[in-house]
Amino acid sequence: MLLACFLLLLAKNARGQFQFEIPAEMLQGMMGGGMMGGGGRKGAEWPKTENSEISAEFEWLVNTEWEGKTSKYLLLRDGFVESPLKECEPEGHCLWAANNGRVLINTPKLKVVKFTIEGLEQVDRKKLDNKEESELQKVSLVMEKPSKSTGKKGKLDFKRVAMADEQESMISADLYKILDVAEDAEQSAIKSKYRRLSVQYHPDKGGDPKVFNDIREAYEVLGDPEKRRQYNLGGMQLVKNVEIAWKEVEGQKAQLDAQLNQVPKNHPQYQMFKQQIEQQKRQFDKANVESKIQQKLQSEELEVLVPISASELYNGVEKKIFVFQRSMICRGCKEDPTRPECQDCGRCPPEKVQVPKYGMTPFGRQVVGMREKEQESRERCHEVGVEVAVRVAKGAKQGSSLKVLPNMGHQTPGKFPGKVNFKVQRGSKEDSYRIAESDLHTVLHISLEQAIFGFSISWRHLGQETVSITRERLERPDEVLRLKGKGLVQSGSKRGDLYVRLAVDLPSVPKGQKDLSLSAAKAQSQAEAKLEMEEEIQIEEGTAWRDWKERSLATTYKGSKEKTEL
């Protein structure tokens, strides 16, 4: 029995994880599945007639709680609801969605209840997206249908934003400002500054104890190069998270020692047990643990598309500078968001915290592991343009990788930034060409005189060659010309084609003027090429399709009611 129990303990630790979970289903199965009740309770499901999507325009609802007369609902990411309702107690049993101007709450008993959103016309949309409570309080969720019992439409009012817990023990001021040093200061300068400040503000010399403690805590972080790196990347929350992870490791090592101590030294298998324990402890060497902690606390990889123009794709670029808008923590703004330097700072991305995961066990409903829960951060963040140099190969394919940078992702409190993979996006908004595979599409604007009397227009194409178009007159509106072999390289040395649509710009005529003079000489003088990117092009089964933008801009025309006699 002792050997079996010991091997079970070893098996748990052999998983090499910081947390060991016993699946709730396994524990239920040990006692026949439904012991202590609730084992067979079924959660809410979306009917096929309802859209379960949370549209991007309703992102402001995530991690907000709404309260009615009888209950309240916390709307979590991924469409789950937390509520004191009995039917919502099992995790994931109640759901929500938001789309098509409505909010839907789905519970096992009430089924799908639909709400309209009232008060949106009163809010500042930017502040609402930033989940400022003053704006959320202007909004209510009102049931589409009246209650069968009261005959009135129920209403949910904003209650709170699910925020990360405020940790009083964690300093929220900017550590660099506390020590009065620059962010790029040498370690020796930080140490020297700390010594002077600690003497100046020491309580024994009449200094303020709080100020002295802040100075000491700031140096504990900035004076340690590794902790300073963590602070620069993820704030004080990351420093604390790493400390907690190391404590978990030390706890696991202590558990291994305790397990060995339970085996008598004169036991025939003692040496085997000891070797297994020592083997398990090898996974806790510093380099291995640091790598695992980094992986555990790191944000996911971020893919960023870099717009590449047709000319850049055709010629290649040895060094292209792309400005990546990176979200970074506003240090010290958590303590006082009203400071002038914090005015451009909004809410940081949500933080993920570890919370207990409950399940039915032979001993009732107990903690069976840990799970991540998202909460809105108390920290403030802003976007900073970061210049990234990339090399663009000739004919680079859509989605091909240009450069991967570690720790360059958006800063999130408590997390290491993930790596960023910069990838090719064929086409740029500033370009004159729409790229469709290896073909290029553009619009050449001409005047009414040029359409009637003809024209000759030239321009530099792809930075290397000259394209010239000469027409005696325009055959039809929006005529399209195909210039073979003037597109991008398709394969080997073969090139696609350039398609030029001739768009006629009507002249501006003063109000009341009844005549218009057109001049052939004026047509010939307008030789400068006015190019514009063509509308969206889609290639389907070898055929190109263009968006009909004019249809979406169409105005309603009401003809004359008078009858025309023939």
Side-chain angles (χ1 to χ4, degrees):
M1 178 61 73
L2 177 63
L3 177 61
C5 292
F6 187 75
L7 292 177
L8 176 61
L9 290 170
L10 286 176
K12 290 182 180 180
N13 287 289
R15 294 178 181 269
Q17 297 179 345
F18 293 113
Q19 295 288 347
F20 176 72
E21 287 190 11
I22 302 176
E25 297 82 2
M26 181 187 296
L27 290 170
Q28 291 174 16
M30 292 167 60
M31 295 302 293
M35 186 175 180
M36 304 302 294
R41 190 179 297 172
K42 191 176 181 181
E45 295 180 352
W46 288 108
K48 293 182 179 180
T49 55
E50 298 297 345
N51 184 353
S52 61
E53 178 189 9
I54 301 174
S55 301
E57 62 181 306
F58 295 109
E59 175 70 19
W60 55 273
L61 282 166
V62 175
N63 294 329
T64 60
E65 187 173 69
W66 301 80
E67 186 176 38
K69 289 185 177 180
T70 58
S71 190
K72 52 188 176 182
Y73 305 89
L74 176 58
L75 310 181
L76 303 176
R77 192 172 297 281
D78 299 327
F80 295 117
V81 173
E82 280 189 7
S83 172
L85 288 174
K86 190 74 174 177
E87 56 189 312
C88 293
E89 280 185 6
E91 295 168 4
H93 274 218
C94 290
L95 310 171
W96 75 283
N99 50 73
N100 298 319
R102 301 183 304 179
V103 176
L104 296 80
I105 295 180
N106 188 0
T107 71
K109 289 185 179 180
L110 298 175
K111 302 303 180 183
V112 179
V113 181
K114 301 175 183 178
F115 297 84
T116 56
I117 305 173
E118 292 189 355
L120 280 178
E121 69 282 355
Q122 308 173 30
V123 303
D124 182 316
R125 187 69 202 197
K126 185 176 180 181
K127 292 181 178 179
L128 183 70
D129 291 338
N130 203 31
K131 298 182 184 177
E132 294 192 14
E133 296 195 355
S134 60
E135 298 304 308
L136 286 163
Q137 288 168 353
K138 299 176 183 178
V139 180
S140 296
L141 307 183
V142 181
M143 291 174 59
E144 286 189 351
K145 296 181 179 180
S147 170
K148 292 181 180 180
S149 58
T150 64
K152 297 180 180 179
K153 292 184 177 181
K155 186 174 72 167
L156 299 177
D157 294 316
F158 170 73
K159 179 69 175 178
R160 67 183 180 94
V161 176
M163 303 285 287
D165 294 335
E166 186 71 68
Q167 300 185 31
E168 295 182 1
S169 60
M170 193 164 66
I171 191 168
S172 57
D174 185 345
L175 302 189
Y176 287 99
K177 289 188 176 180
I178 290 176
L179 293 183
D180 192 23
V181 292
E183 293 185 18
D184 58 353
E186 299 289 339
Q187 290 297 132
S188 58
I190 292 175
K191 185 176 182 179
S192 176
K193 190 72 173 185
Y194 165 69
R195 285 178 173 175
R196 290 201 301 270
L197 292 175
S198 60
V199 171
Q200 180 181 349
Y201 290 99
H202 199 285
D204 292 347
K205 295 189 176 183
D208 187 332
K210 184 183 183 306
V211 174
F212 177 77
N213 287 334
D214 286 348
I215 293 170
R216 179 175 51 80
E217 289 184 31
Y219 182 69
E220 285 179 359
V221 175
L222 300 185
D224 183 317
E226 179 55 26
K227 288 185 177 180
R228 181 183 180 186
R229 182 182 79 92
Q230 296 162 11
Y231 177 73
N232 289 344
L233 294 175
M236 275 303 298
Q237 187 63 57
L238 179 56
V239 177
K240 292 295 181 183
N241 286 351
V242 173
E243 288 179 357
I244 291 171
W246 274 106
K247 287 178 181 178
E248 290 179 7
V249 170
E250 294 301 321
Q252 290 181 8
K253 290 168 67 176
Q255 286 180 6
L256 288 172
D257 290 333
Q259 291 166 17
L260 182 60
N261 291 336
Q262 292 175 6
V263 181
K265 291 186 178 181
N266 58 358
H267 192 284
Q269 304 296 329
Y270 178 80
Q271 288 302 322
M272 183 189 73
F273 296 156
K274 186 176 180 180
Q275 289 178 4
Q276 290 177 336
I277 291 291
E278 293 300 324
Q279 184 179 357
Q280 289 293 316
K281 290 173 72 173
R282 289 193 192 102
Q283 68 178 312
F284 297 125
D285 70 273
K286 186 176 180 181
N288 186 40
V289 171
E290 285 179 345
S291 175
K292 286 189 175 181
I293 290 176
Q294 176 96 10
Q295 292 175 16
K296 179 184 178 183
L297 297 177
Q298 192 155 42
S299 298
E300 296 179 356
E301 178 180 325
L302 181 66
E303 291 187 357
V304 175
L305 293 177
V306 180
I308 310 296
S309 70
S311 177
E312 291 170 330
L313 287 170
Y314 181 73
N315 298 293
V317 185
E318 283 300 317
K319 186 178 180 181
K320 175 181 173 65
I321 301 299
F322 171 70
V323 179
F324 168 49
Q325 294 300 323
R326 187 188 187 200
S327 177
M328 300 187 70
I329 298 172
C330 300
R331 297 198 190 99
C333 292
K334 174 183 175 182
E335 181 184 45
D336 183 10
T338 63
R339 285 163 38 192
E341 60 266 36
C342 302
Q343 294 309 298
D344 293 333
C345 299
R347 196 181 299 278
C348 282
E351 299 176 16
K352 290 185 178 180
V353 297
Q354 295 286 324
V355 296
K357 181 178 180 180
Y358 292 92
M360 295 305 298
T361 75
F363 312 103
R365 187 171 182 268
Q366 292 188 345
V367 176
V368 296
M370 302 294 288
R371 65 178 178 88
E372 279 192 339
K373 181 179 179 181
E374 184 180 279
Q375 294 179 326
E376 296 299 321
S377 176
R378 294 182 182 273
E379 293 280 6
R380 314 292 285 180
C381 288
H382 66 150
E383 285 192 345
V384 177
V386 180
E387 291 189 351
V388 179
V390 297
R391 178 183 178 277
V392 182
K394 291 183 179 181
K397 302 298 182 183
Q398 174 71 24
S400 59
S401 182
L402 295 168
K403 177 178 282 188
V404 178
L405 293 178
N407 296 323
M408 182 54 75
H410 299 308
Q411 290 187 352
T412 301
K415 305 277 280 187
F416 286 103
K419 61 183 177 181
V420 179
N421 192 346
F422 295 93
K423 294 188 173 184
V424 171
Q425 175 181 296
R426 288 168 64 93
S428 169
K429 292 181 180 179
E430 291 75 30
D431 204 356
S432 300
Y433 300 105
R434 175 79 65 184
I435 300 172
E437 297 181 350
S438 60
D439 295 331
L440 299 177
H441 297 256
T442 190
V443 179
L444 175 61
H445 289 267
I446 61 174
S447 66
L448 184 57
E449 286 98 339
Q450 290 173 318
I452 295 174
F453 301 114
F455 63 89
S456 181
I457 298 177
S458 301
W459 70 90
R460 294 289 292 174
H461 177 57
L462 301 180
Q464 286 194 344
E465 54 193 326
T466 300
V467 169
S468 298
I469 294 180
T470 301
R471 305 286 288 177
E472 292 186 359
R473 62 173 294 147
L474 196 64
E475 297 296 331
R476 59 184 180 278
D478 281 337
E479 183 180 352
V480 177
L481 307 179
R482 177 186 179 189
L483 284 69
K484 299 187 71 173
K486 297 296 183 181
L488 298 177
V489 176
Q490 189 173 16
S491 60
S493 59
K494 185 179 179 181
R495 292 175 61 180
D497 300 330
L498 170 63
Y499 292 85
V500 182
R501 178 162 62 91
L502 304 178
V504 180
D505 295 336
L506 296 178
S508 176
V509 179
K511 187 177 181 180
Q513 182 174 319
K514 301 299 182 181
D515 55 4
L516 178 67
S517 62
L518 301 176
S519 167
K522 188 177 179 181
Q524 297 302 320
S525 67
Q526 298 171 354
E528 181 181 351
K530 297 179 182 179
L531 297 175
E532 179 188 13
M533 182 187 291
E534 181 58 278
E535 297 159 20
E536 194 69 41
I537 299 291
Q538 294 182 359
I539 306 295
E540 294 183 10
E541 298 180 357
T543 303
W545 299 85
R546 177 169 62 88
D547 280 355
W548 190 12
K549 183 174 66 176
E550 289 79 4
R551 185 180 190 277
S552 63
L553 301 175
T555 56
T556 301
Y557 173 73
K558 296 182 179 180
S560 173
K561 294 182 179 180
E562 296 180 1
K563 293 182 180 180
T564 302
E565 295 183 3
L566 298 177

mmCIF file of all heavy atoms in Angstrom, residues 112-139:
data_model
loop_
_atom_site.group_PDB
_atom_site.id
_atom_site.type_symbol
_atom_site.label_atom_id
_atom_site.label_comp_id
_atom_site.label_asym_id
_atom_site.label_seq_id
_atom_site.Cartn_x
_atom_site.Cartn_y
_atom_site.Cartn_z
ATOM 1 N N VAL A 112 -33.589 31.670 -23.802
ATOM 2 C CA VAL A 112 -33.007 32.880 -24.382
ATOM 3 C C VAL A 112 -33.901 34.086 -24.102
ATOM 4 O O VAL A 112 -35.061 34.114 -24.512
ATOM 5 C CB VAL A 112 -32.796 32.721 -25.901
ATOM 6 C CG1 VAL A 112 -32.217 34.010 -26.488
ATOM 7 C CG2 VAL A 112 -31.871 31.539 -26.194
ATOM 8 N N VAL A 113 -33.340 35.056 -23.376
ATOM 9 C CA VAL A 113 -34.044 36.320 -23.103
ATOM 10 C C VAL A 113 -33.324 37.417 -23.880
ATOM 11 O O VAL A 113 -32.108 37.574 -23.759
ATOM 12 C CB VAL A 113 -34.058 36.646 -21.597
ATOM 13 C CG1 VAL A 113 -34.813 37.942 -21.352
ATOM 14 C CG2 VAL A 113 -34.683 35.497 -20.805
ATOM 15 N N LYS A 114 -34.093 38.164 -24.673
ATOM 16 C CA LYS A 114 -33.503 39.178 -25.549
ATOM 17 C C LYS A 114 -33.696 40.577 -24.963
ATOM 18 O O LYS A 114 -34.766 40.902 -24.449
ATOM 19 C CB LYS A 114 -34.128 39.095 -26.935
ATOM 20 C CG LYS A 114 -33.950 37.730 -27.591
ATOM 21 C CD LYS A 114 -34.685 37.637 -28.914
ATOM 22 C CE LYS A 114 -34.562 36.227 -29.522
ATOM 23 N NZ LYS A 114 -35.308 36.106 -30.791
ATOM 24 N N PHE A 115 -32.626 41.384 -25.078
ATOM 25 C CA PHE A 115 -32.644 42.746 -24.557
ATOM 26 C C PHE A 115 -32.246 43.726 -25.654
ATOM 27 O O PHE A 115 -31.377 43.428 -26.480
ATOM 28 C CB PHE A 115 -31.642 42.897 -23.406
ATOM 29 C CG PHE A 115 -31.938 42.048 -22.196
ATOM 30 C CD1 PHE A 115 -31.527 40.721 -22.139
ATOM 31 C CD2 PHE A 115 -32.607 42.572 -21.107
ATOM 32 C CE1 PHE A 115 -31.785 39.933 -21.035
ATOM 33 C CE2 PHE A 115 -32.872 41.791 -19.986
ATOM 34 C CZ PHE A 115 -32.458 40.471 -19.956
ATOM 35 N N THR A 116 -32.888 44.884 -25.644
ATOM 36 C CA THR A 116 -32.429 45.994 -26.474
ATOM 37 C C THR A 116 -31.575 46.907 -25.593
ATOM 38 O O THR A 116 -31.697 46.894 -24.360
ATOM 39 C CB THR A 116 -33.611 46.794 -27.050
ATOM 40 O OG1 THR A 116 -34.448 47.246 -25.967
ATOM 41 C CG2 THR A 116 -34.430 45.931 -27.992
ATOM 42 N N ILE A 117 -30.708 47.689 -26.220
ATOM 43 C CA ILE A 117 -29.806 48.572 -25.472
ATOM 44 C C ILE A 117 -30.327 49.993 -25.567
ATOM 45 O O ILE A 117 -30.439 50.546 -26.666
ATOM 46 C CB ILE A 117 -28.374 48.481 -26.023
ATOM 47 C CG1 ILE A 117 -27.901 47.019 -26.021
ATOM 48 C CG2 ILE A 117 -27.421 49.330 -25.200
ATOM 49 C CD1 ILE A 117 -26.567 46.814 -26.695
ATOM 50 N N GLU A 118 -30.653 50.572 -24.419
ATOM 51 C CA GLU A 118 -31.150 51.949 -24.385
ATOM 52 C C GLU A 118 -30.090 52.878 -23.806
ATOM 53 O O GLU A 118 -29.357 52.498 -22.893
ATOM 54 C CB GLU A 118 -32.428 52.025 -23.536
ATOM 55 C CG GLU A 118 -33.620 51.311 -24.159
ATOM 56 C CD GLU A 118 -34.915 51.583 -23.409
ATOM 57 O OE1 GLU A 118 -34.861 52.250 -22.346
ATOM 58 O OE2 GLU A 118 -35.974 51.112 -23.868
ATOM 59 N N GLY A 119 -30.009 54.083 -24.352
ATOM 60 C CA GLY A 119 -29.097 55.093 -23.838
ATOM 61 C C GLY A 119 -27.808 55.241 -24.620
ATOM 62 O O GLY A 119 -26.972 56.075 -24.272
ATOM 63 N N LEU A 120 -27.622 54.449 -25.679
ATOM 64 C CA LEU A 120 -26.371 54.527 -26.437
ATOM 65 C C LEU A 120 -26.179 55.890 -27.098
ATOM 66 O O LEU A 120 -25.042 56.318 -27.310
ATOM 67 C CB LEU A 120 -26.336 53.427 -27.507
ATOM 68 C CG LEU A 120 -25.952 52.019 -27.039
ATOM 69 C CD1 LEU A 120 -26.002 51.043 -28.206
ATOM 70 C CD2 LEU A 120 -24.559 52.011 -26.414
ATOM 71 N N GLU A 121 -27.288 56.540 -27.425
ATOM 72 C CA GLU A 121 -27.178 57.842 -28.084
ATOM 73 C C GLU A 121 -26.628 58.913 -27.150
ATOM 74 O O GLU A 121 -26.199 59.987 -27.591
ATOM 75 C CB GLU A 121 -28.540 58.276 -28.641
ATOM 76 C CG GLU A 121 -29.585 58.623 -27.589
ATOM 77 C CD GLU A 121 -30.239 57.401 -26.956
ATOM 78 O OE1 GLU A 121 -29.948 56.268 -27.403
ATOM 79 O OE2 GLU A 121 -31.048 57.591 -26.024
ATOM 80 N N GLN A 122 -26.599 58.638 -25.831
ATOM 81 C CA GLN A 122 -26.142 59.635 -24.863
ATOM 82 C C GLN A 122 -24.658 59.503 -24.528
ATOM 83 O O GLN A 122 -24.090 60.369 -23.874
ATOM 84 C CB GLN A 122 -26.937 59.511 -23.559
ATOM 85 C CG GLN A 122 -28.443 59.527 -23.727
ATOM 86 C CD GLN A 122 -29.141 59.222 -22.412
ATOM 87 O OE1 GLN A 122 -28.641 59.526 -21.332
ATOM 88 N NE2 GLN A 122 -30.303 58.605 -22.498
ATOM 89 N N VAL A 123 -24.040 58.400 -24.947
ATOM 90 C CA VAL A 123 -22.702 58.105 -24.447
ATOM 91 C C VAL A 123 -21.606 58.612 -25.377
ATOM 92 O O VAL A 123 -21.835 58.834 -26.572
ATOM 93 C CB VAL A 123 -22.511 56.586 -24.234
ATOM 94 C CG1 VAL A 123 -23.550 56.032 -23.287
ATOM 95 C CG2 VAL A 123 -22.535 55.832 -25.564
ATOM 96 N N ASP A 124 -20.436 58.814 -24.793
ATOM 97 C CA ASP A 124 -19.219 59.078 -25.550
ATOM 98 C C ASP A 124 -18.654 57.710 -25.936
ATOM 99 O O ASP A 124 -18.217 56.949 -25.077
ATOM 100 C CB ASP A 124 -18.217 59.856 -24.686
ATOM 101 C CG ASP A 124 -16.935 60.205 -25.438
ATOM 102 O OD1 ASP A 124 -16.404 59.327 -26.141
ATOM 103 O OD2 ASP A 124 -16.455 61.341 -25.303
ATOM 104 N N ARG A 125 -18.683 57.388 -27.223
ATOM 105 C CA ARG A 125 -18.340 56.029 -27.652
ATOM 106 C C ARG A 125 -16.921 55.636 -27.257
ATOM 107 O O ARG A 125 -16.668 54.498 -26.868
ATOM 108 C CB ARG A 125 -18.501 55.930 -29.169
ATOM 109 C CG ARG A 125 -18.341 54.521 -29.706
ATOM 110 C CD ARG A 125 -19.483 53.622 -29.285
ATOM 111 N NE ARG A 125 -19.116 52.222 -29.327
ATOM 112 C CZ ARG A 125 -19.995 51.229 -29.326
ATOM 113 N NH1 ARG A 125 -21.292 51.488 -29.273
ATOM 114 N NH2 ARG A 125 -19.596 49.983 -29.357
ATOM 115 N N LYS A 126 -15.991 56.562 -27.352
ATOM 116 C CA LYS A 126 -14.609 56.254 -26.990
ATOM 117 C C LYS A 126 -14.498 55.901 -25.508
ATOM 118 O O LYS A 126 -13.811 54.955 -25.127
ATOM 119 C CB LYS A 126 -13.699 57.437 -27.326
ATOM 120 C CG LYS A 126 -12.226 57.163 -27.103
ATOM 121 C CD LYS A 126 -11.371 58.337 -27.538
ATOM 122 C CE LYS A 126 -9.891 58.051 -27.305
ATOM 123 N NZ LYS A 126 -9.035 59.210 -27.712
ATOM 124 N N LYS A 127 -15.199 56.662 -24.672
ATOM 125 C CA LYS A 127 -15.168 56.384 -23.234
ATOM 126 C C LYS A 127 -15.899 55.086 -22.913
ATOM 127 O O LYS A 127 -15.517 54.358 -21.996
ATOM 128 C CB LYS A 127 -15.794 57.549 -22.463
ATOM 129 C CG LYS A 127 -14.981 58.826 -22.517
ATOM 130 C CD LYS A 127 -15.643 59.941 -21.710
ATOM 131 C CE LYS A 127 -14.804 61.214 -21.734
ATOM 132 N NZ LYS A 127 -15.456 62.313 -20.972
ATOM 133 N N LEU A 128 -16.962 54.804 -23.673
ATOM 134 C CA LEU A 128 -17.700 53.559 -23.451
ATOM 135 C C LEU A 128 -16.820 52.353 -23.788
ATOM 136 O O LEU A 128 -16.777 51.376 -23.030
ATOM 137 C CB LEU A 128 -18.967 53.536 -24.311
ATOM 138 C CG LEU A 128 -19.884 52.326 -24.123
ATOM 139 C CD1 LEU A 128 -20.560 52.374 -22.765
ATOM 140 C CD2 LEU A 128 -20.935 52.257 -25.226
ATOM 141 N N ASP A 129 -16.112 52.425 -24.920
ATOM 142 C CA ASP A 129 -15.207 51.339 -25.304
ATOM 143 C C ASP A 129 -14.092 51.166 -24.280
ATOM 144 O O ASP A 129 -13.546 50.078 -24.123
ATOM 145 C CB ASP A 129 -14.613 51.597 -26.688
ATOM 146 C CG ASP A 129 -15.646 51.480 -27.787
ATOM 147 O OD1 ASP A 129 -16.683 50.819 -27.555
ATOM 148 O OD2 ASP A 129 -15.447 52.053 -28.873
ATOM 149 N N ASN A 130 -13.764 52.258 -23.584
ATOM 150 C CA ASN A 130 -12.744 52.214 -22.540
ATOM 151 C C ASN A 130 -13.325 51.759 -21.202
ATOM 152 O O ASN A 130 -12.627 51.706 -20.193
ATOM 153 C CB ASN A 130 -12.100 53.596 -22.380
ATOM 154 C CG ASN A 130 -10.725 53.525 -21.769
ATOM 155 O OD1 ASN A 130 -10.003 52.552 -21.965
ATOM 156 N ND2 ASN A 130 -10.367 54.538 -21.005
ATOM 157 N N LYS A 131 -14.644 51.456 -21.216
ATOM 158 C CA LYS A 131 -15.367 50.936 -20.045
ATOM 159 C C LYS A 131 -15.310 51.887 -18.855
ATOM 160 O O LYS A 131 -15.123 51.470 -17.712
ATOM 161 C CB LYS A 131 -14.833 49.554 -19.655
ATOM 162 C CG LYS A 131 -15.025 48.531 -20.754
ATOM 163 C CD LYS A 131 -14.550 47.153 -20.382
ATOM 164 C CE LYS A 131 -14.690 46.213 -21.575
ATOM 165 N NZ LYS A 131 -14.183 44.864 -21.332
ATOM 166 N N GLU A 132 -15.474 53.181 -19.145
ATOM 167 C CA GLU A 132 -15.553 54.152 -18.058
ATOM 168 C C GLU A 132 -16.942 54.057 -17.441
ATOM 169 O O GLU A 132 -17.963 54.116 -18.134
ATOM 170 C CB GLU A 132 -15.265 55.559 -18.579
ATOM 171 C CG GLU A 132 -13.826 55.726 -19.060
ATOM 172 C CD GLU A 132 -13.460 57.174 -19.303
ATOM 173 O OE1 GLU A 132 -14.219 58.074 -18.853
ATOM 174 O OE2 GLU A 132 -12.410 57.415 -19.929
ATOM 175 N N GLU A 133 -16.984 53.926 -16.130
ATOM 176 C CA GLU A 133 -18.242 53.651 -15.442
ATOM 177 C C GLU A 133 -19.265 54.768 -15.618
ATOM 178 O O GLU A 133 -20.462 54.512 -15.653
ATOM 179 C CB GLU A 133 -17.967 53.385 -13.964
ATOM 180 C CG GLU A 133 -17.118 52.126 -13.730
ATOM 181 C CD GLU A 133 -17.141 51.664 -12.286
ATOM 182 O OE1 GLU A 133 -17.741 52.360 -11.444
ATOM 183 O OE2 GLU A 133 -16.548 50.596 -12.001
ATOM 184 N N SER A 134 -18.788 56.006 -15.745
ATOM 185 C CA SER A 134 -19.720 57.130 -15.915
ATOM 186 C C SER A 134 -20.534 56.975 -17.204
ATOM 187 O O SER A 134 -21.695 57.399 -17.256
ATOM 188 C CB SER A 134 -18.949 58.455 -15.934
ATOM 189 O OG SER A 134 -18.008 58.458 -17.005
ATOM 190 N N GLU A 135 -19.951 56.384 -18.235
ATOM 191 C CA GLU A 135 -20.657 56.166 -19.496
ATOM 192 C C GLU A 135 -21.516 54.911 -19.441
ATOM 193 O O GLU A 135 -22.635 54.887 -19.956
ATOM 194 C CB GLU A 135 -19.652 56.056 -20.647
ATOM 195 C CG GLU A 135 -18.816 57.296 -20.868
ATOM 196 C CD GLU A 135 -19.656 58.545 -21.100
ATOM 197 O OE1 GLU A 135 -20.538 58.511 -21.980
ATOM 198 O OE2 GLU A 135 -19.448 59.544 -20.385
ATOM 199 N N LEU A 136 -21.019 53.853 -18.805
ATOM 200 C CA LEU A 136 -21.790 52.615 -18.682
ATOM 201 C C LEU A 136 -23.078 52.841 -17.889
ATOM 202 O O LEU A 136 -24.096 52.183 -18.143
ATOM 203 C CB LEU A 136 -20.937 51.539 -18.009
ATOM 204 C CG LEU A 136 -19.836 50.926 -18.886
ATOM 205 C CD1 LEU A 136 -18.810 50.193 -18.032
ATOM 206 C CD2 LEU A 136 -20.433 49.977 -19.925
ATOM 207 N N GLN A 137 -23.057 53.761 -16.952
ATOM 208 C CA GLN A 137 -24.241 54.043 -16.138
ATOM 209 C C GLN A 137 -25.363 54.707 -16.939
ATOM 210 O O GLN A 137 -26.508 54.744 -16.497
ATOM 211 C CB GLN A 137 -23.859 54.917 -14.941
ATOM 212 C CG GLN A 137 -23.054 54.157 -13.885
ATOM 213 C CD GLN A 137 -22.424 55.066 -12.857
ATOM 214 O OE1 GLN A 137 -22.469 56.295 -12.980
ATOM 215 N NE2 GLN A 137 -21.802 54.481 -11.848
ATOM 216 N N LYS A 138 -25.042 55.219 -18.128
ATOM 217 C CA LYS A 138 -26.057 55.843 -18.977
ATOM 218 C C LYS A 138 -26.832 54.813 -19.802
ATOM 219 O O LYS A 138 -27.812 55.144 -20.455
ATOM 220 C CB LYS A 138 -25.398 56.847 -19.932
ATOM 221 C CG LYS A 138 -24.676 57.992 -19.233
ATOM 222 C CD LYS A 138 -23.967 58.870 -20.259
ATOM 223 C CE LYS A 138 -23.175 59.991 -19.586
ATOM 224 N NZ LYS A 138 -22.438 60.815 -20.584
ATOM 225 N N VAL A 139 -26.359 53.555 -19.756
ATOM 226 C CA VAL A 139 -26.917 52.509 -20.608
ATOM 227 C C VAL A 139 -27.730 51.518 -19.783
ATOM 228 O O VAL A 139 -27.381 51.216 -18.645
ATOM 229 C CB VAL A 139 -25.785 51.761 -21.355
ATOM 230 C CG1 VAL A 139 -26.348 50.658 -22.239
ATOM 231 C CG2 VAL A 139 -24.967 52.741 -22.187
#
